[in-house]
Amino acid sequence: MKIIIINGPNLNLLGRRENNIYGDETFNDFFERLQKKYANQEVSYFQSNIEGELIDKIQEVGYKFDGIILNAAAYTHTSVGIADAVKAITTPVVEVHISNTFSREDFRHKSYISPNAKGVIVGFGLQSYELALQSFLKKSQE
Ligand code: DQA
């Protein structure tokens, strides 16, 4: 299957950023492990701190790929533009968060993306991404 992980702002700092919340591993190290483990799948990765670039990427892959694993980070809670892009495309989107956003500040409880996501995986650390990937692979076996 052709799956892309799209990460939003500040997720390039994983491993250095608020380690008590987001853990010690860099995303690149995690992604390398993931790619090795699922070597028979086509899993790619894109990160941007810029809202418009995230929208461009969602549009670019959104009619071609089998699945998008999206952590829009802070834009989850603010971006109507990203929500509209998710709504516009035909590729299913699984929304993920590393931390349990519901156990954090109130402003993190609202997601503009969730209503149009296929599903939401929240709070399992970097494993959230793997669980999202497995949800797509399981679907393809049904
Ligand atoms: C996050 C949660 C967001 O509230 C926050 O702005 C992030 C990361 C997560 O993966 O836990 O940057 O999406």
Side-chain angles (χ1 to χ4, degrees):
M1 288 188 103
K2 212 168 167 177
I3 309 284
I4 185 167
I5 296 172
I6 300 180
N7 269 347
N10 302 306
L11 292 172
N12 53 315
L13 296 180
L14 287 177
R16 280 194 286 168
R17 169 194 185 199
E18 296 177 276
N19 299 50
N20 55 324
I21 298 175
Y22 298 113
D24 297 328
E25 193 169 17
T26 68
F27 197 82
N28 284 345
D29 286 350
F30 167 76
F31 184 62
E32 229 173 78
R33 282 199 291 119
L34 193 76
Q35 271 188 320
K36 272 189 198 143
K37 188 164 170 186
Y38 296 90
N40 53 343
Q41 308 295 332
E42 248 185 274
V43 187
S44 54
Y45 164 55
F46 175 81
Q47 190 276 333
S48 177
N49 293 323
I50 299 165
E51 187 175 9
E53 286 186 1
L54 295 166
I55 293 170
D56 282 346
K57 183 53 80 175
I58 291 166
Q59 290 184 8
E60 182 193 317
V61 300
Y63 300 91
K64 296 184 207 152
F65 280 48
D66 300 305
I68 297 174
I69 298 169
L70 176 63
N71 185 350
Y75 289 140
T76 306
H77 318 299
T78 62
S79 177
V80 175
I82 293 177
D84 280 352
V86 168
K87 204 169 177 179
I89 59 173
T90 51
T91 297
V93 172
V94 172
E95 176 184 350
V96 302
H97 297 285
I98 298 164
S99 63
N100 180 355
T101 46
F102 297 102
S103 67
R104 300 180 65 193
E105 303 94 321
D106 284 354
F107 68 85
R108 294 185 206 276
H109 300 181
K110 164 84 185 166
S111 166
Y112 283 92
I113 292 161
S114 301
N116 294 301
K118 184 166 172 279
V120 183
I121 298 172
V122 174
F124 293 95
L126 290 173
Q127 198 198 355
S128 295
Y129 293 91
E130 185 172 359
L131 294 171
L133 178 60
Q134 286 170 349
S135 77
F136 284 118
L137 303 182
K138 173 135 198 338
K139 181 87 198 128
S140 77
Q141 284 160 9
E142 280 167 7

